[in-house]
């Protein structure tokens, strides 16, 4: 299974990547390092929500989540507003 969260409006867009039961964030946007997390137990229940800590004004914008397994894929876009 692959779960990829990214910012389509940014050049280097990777926010968080989970693939083959591991976080693979070597190409993650520098400003997100150490601030993103997927709950692996929730992922097994179908919840691919991304937890972002120490939220900054620059985190505001569009985020896209792409999920792929051997038999299906799905994606969604969310807009994050920082108040």
């Amino acid at each position: 299974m692959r779960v990829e969260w990214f910012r389509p409006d940014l050049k280097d867009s990777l926010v968080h990547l989970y693939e083959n039961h591991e976080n693979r964030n070597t190409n993650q946007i520098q400003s997100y390092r150490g601030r993103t997390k997927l709950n692996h137990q929730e992922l097994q229940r179908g919840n691919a929500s991304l937890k972002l800590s120490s939220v900054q004004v620059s985190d505001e914008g569009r985020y896209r989540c792409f999920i792929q397994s051997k038999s299906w894929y799905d994606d969604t876009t969310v807009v994050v507003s920082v108040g």
Side-chain angles (χ1 to χ4, degrees):
M1 174 180 273
R2 177 183 177 98
V3 179
E4 182 176 354
W5 278 95
F6 59 98
R7 298 274 310 265
D9 56 329
L10 300 179
K11 181 182 174 190
D12 296 321
S13 64
L14 183 63
V15 174
H16 193 96
L17 176 60
Y18 177 83
E19 186 174 36
N20 297 325
H21 307 285
E22 292 183 9
N23 294 310
R24 299 180 183 240
N25 291 318
T26 54
N27 295 324
Q28 184 180 43
I29 299 171
Q30 183 67 35
S31 64
Y32 287 95
R33 298 251 164 137
R35 300 193 305 124
T36 62
K37 183 178 180 180
L38 287 178
N39 184 320
H40 301 162
Q41 292 171 337
E42 287 297 317
L43 189 57
Q44 292 174 352
R45 295 183 190 114
N47 181 351
S49 297
L50 180 72
K51 181 179 180 180
L52 181 59
S53 59
S54 301
V55 175
Q56 305 168 7
V57 173
S58 61
D59 295 333
E60 190 167 282
R62 282 189 327 130
Y63 289 73
R64 188 167 176 201
C65 179
F66 178 76
I67 303 171
Q68 183 178 21
S69 72
K70 291 180 181 178
S71 59
W72 63 272
Y73 69 91
D74 200 1
D75 71 324
T76 191
T77 300
V78 296
V79 177
V80 173
S81 298
V82 177

